[in-house]
Amino acid sequence: MTRTATCFCGQLSLTCVGDPVRISVCHCRDCKRRSGSAFAAQARFPAEQVTVTGRSKTWSRVSDEGNASDFHFCPECGTTLWYNARPHHDLYAVPIGTFADPSFPPPEYSVYESRKHDWVEIVGEGIDHYD
């Protein structure tokens, strides 16, 4: 399986080969800010399964828990196309929406649920829920 994620203007893209090692929904404050939504959904792929085409800029941030993350975004349209978060810096976390694929597999994990909006409910078979 090969999937391609692109930024809004199309200048930057990622081609991901194979299945992601993790698909998750996150309710932490950083992911809410990054996505501009009530939560963020992302798929993680090992670096050796990812090919980047185009130019990106990087912005780094240390989370409340002390882990550094590098956010890679298009310098033209500003779309965050992937991020690498420690301690799993060898994985590309790709926002699911950048694939624009309605058949993308559902999440397996919903994390930081203690920060979830009361009106959000993540449902489906086999989803693990963590605070």
Side-chain angles (χ1 to χ4, degrees):
M1 169 71 68
T2 299
R3 295 179 174 96
T4 301
T6 59
C7 67
F8 199 61
C9 72
Q11 181 278 133
L12 180 62
S13 66
L14 290 179
T15 301
C16 304
V17 177
D19 292 324
V21 296
R22 178 182 172 122
I23 303 171
S24 60
V25 172
C26 185
H27 305 278
C28 80
R29 290 179 193 100
D30 287 346
C31 280
K32 289 177 185 180
R33 287 185 183 113
R34 177 184 54 76
S35 69
S37 186
F39 57 89
Q42 53 277 323
R44 288 182 170 82
F45 294 87
E48 62 272 8
Q49 291 178 219
V50 177
T51 302
V52 177
T53 304
R55 296 178 334 281
S56 69
K57 290 193 71 138
T58 303
W59 183 74
S60 299
R61 182 182 190 293
V62 176
S63 73
D64 295 341
E65 296 175 346
N67 293 319
S69 297
D70 298 323
F71 300 89
H72 303 269
F73 60 95
C74 175
E76 301 299 321
C77 68
T79 303
T80 298
L81 203 54
W82 79 93
Y83 63 95
N84 307 97
R86 289 176 182 80
H88 307 289
H89 205 256
D90 57 336
L91 297 176
Y92 280 58
V94 185
I96 291 173
T98 61
F99 291 105
D101 177 3
S103 67
F104 201 91
E108 302 149 330
Y109 302 95
S110 179
V111 298
Y112 289 103
E113 287 201 336
S114 61
R115 298 179 182 180
K116 179 173 65 69
H117 290 274
D118 291 339
W119 49 267
V120 170
E121 187 175 357
I122 305 299
V123 298
E125 290 185 35
I127 299 175
D128 291 333
H129 300 267
Y130 298 99
D131 284 331

